[in-house]
Amino acid sequence: KRNKLMNNLNKITNKICTLSNLKTKVEKWKENGEKVVFTNGCFDLVHRGHIEVLAKTADLGDRLIIGLNSDESIRELKGENRPIIDETSRAFLLAALQFVDAIVFFSEETPIILIKTIVPNILAKGGDYKTEDIVGNEIVIQNGGEVKTIPLTDGFSTTNIVEKIKKD
C-alpha cells in the first residue's frame, strides 16, 4: 500500500516541469506523433467550471499542458489579495488530474514565451476569448496548428466563489 501512495505522489510531482524539461517532453511526444494541446490560466480556487473546460481541452489532443500563472503574475493581474492558493499548491492540484500531462509556470504577463518554446499543435482557451485575442494564436497557426475556444460552464467562477465566502 505505502509504495503505491508514493508512486501516485511521484506521478503528480513529475508533471510539474521547468520549461527546459517540458521542451524535451514535448519533442518526444511530437516525435511519437502525439498532438500537444496547450492552455493557460490562474486556476486560483479550482472549481467545476475549470475541470469541465480542462477535460474538454484535453479531448482535443493526446497531451495537455497547462501554463500556470505564478503568484507574482496573479498579484499583478488580480490585485494584492490574490492568489488565494499558492502556485505550488495550484500546480499540485492540477497535476493530480489524470488528463493533465504537464504544468509549467510563467511569471510574465502572457504565456507567449512558453508558446514560442513548445509550439503546441493546439492552443485552447475558455469561450470567453475570441480566437484572434488568444495570445500566441499567430505562432500556432503559422506552424500548422489550430486555435480553439472551449465553451465555459455557466454559473462557475472564482470571483463568485470568493464573494460567496466573504458573505458567509
Side-chain angles (χ1 to χ4, degrees):
K1 278 274 190 216
R2 183 161 168 70
N3 233 356
K4 186 171 173 20
L5 178 67
M6 289 304 291
N7 287 339
N8 283 319
L9 284 174
N10 286 340
K11 282 180 197 170
I12 292 168
T13 56
N14 286 338
K15 291 181 185 182
I16 303 168
C17 304
T18 62
L19 185 52
S20 66
N21 77 13
L22 177 61
K23 190 176 185 216
T24 305
K25 283 183 182 192
V26 169
E27 286 166 2
K28 282 184 190 146
W29 295 337
K30 286 181 178 180
E31 280 170 22
N32 292 335
E34 293 177 281
K35 227 186 225 182
V36 175
V37 183
F38 177 87
T39 193
N40 66 280
C42 298
F43 301 100
D44 197 9
L45 291 185
V46 174
H47 53 71
R48 178 181 169 182
H50 288 134
I51 302 299
E52 288 189 15
V53 169
L54 287 171
K56 290 174 187 173
T57 301
D59 288 341
L60 298 173
D62 303 302
R63 299 288 184 163
L64 176 60
I65 299 168
I66 299 175
L68 189 60
N69 288 77
S70 68
D71 289 350
E72 174 189 335
S73 73
I74 292 177
R75 267 190 294 281
E76 287 183 26
L77 287 169
K78 303 196 181 252
E80 273 307 305
N81 294 332
R82 300 280 293 274
I84 293 163
I85 299 178
D86 68 275
E87 63 190 37
T88 306
S89 299
R90 289 183 287 117
F92 194 83
L93 186 62
L94 292 169
L97 299 172
Q98 67 183 23
F99 51 79
V100 172
D101 295 285
I103 310 281
V104 62
F105 293 107
F106 67 98
S107 296
E108 302 77 19
E109 195 175 317
T110 73
I112 193 70
I113 294 168
L114 298 181
I115 294 165
K116 281 181 178 172
T117 304
I118 63 172
V119 191
N121 303 101
I122 297 172
L123 175 61
K125 285 291 284 178
D128 51 339
Y129 283 84
K130 289 190 180 90
T131 303
E132 60 273 16
D133 295 335
I134 297 173
V135 169
N137 76 74
E138 310 88 354
I139 294 159
V140 173
I141 291 166
Q142 284 166 7
N143 285 280
E146 299 174 88
V147 179
K148 305 267 191 184
T149 56
I150 308 295
L152 298 181
T153 306
D154 285 341
F156 295 94
S157 87
T158 300
T159 304
N160 291 351
I161 293 169
V162 169
E163 289 308 311
K164 186 176 180 180
I165 291 167
K166 282 181 182 174
K167 280 185 207 162
D168 290 352

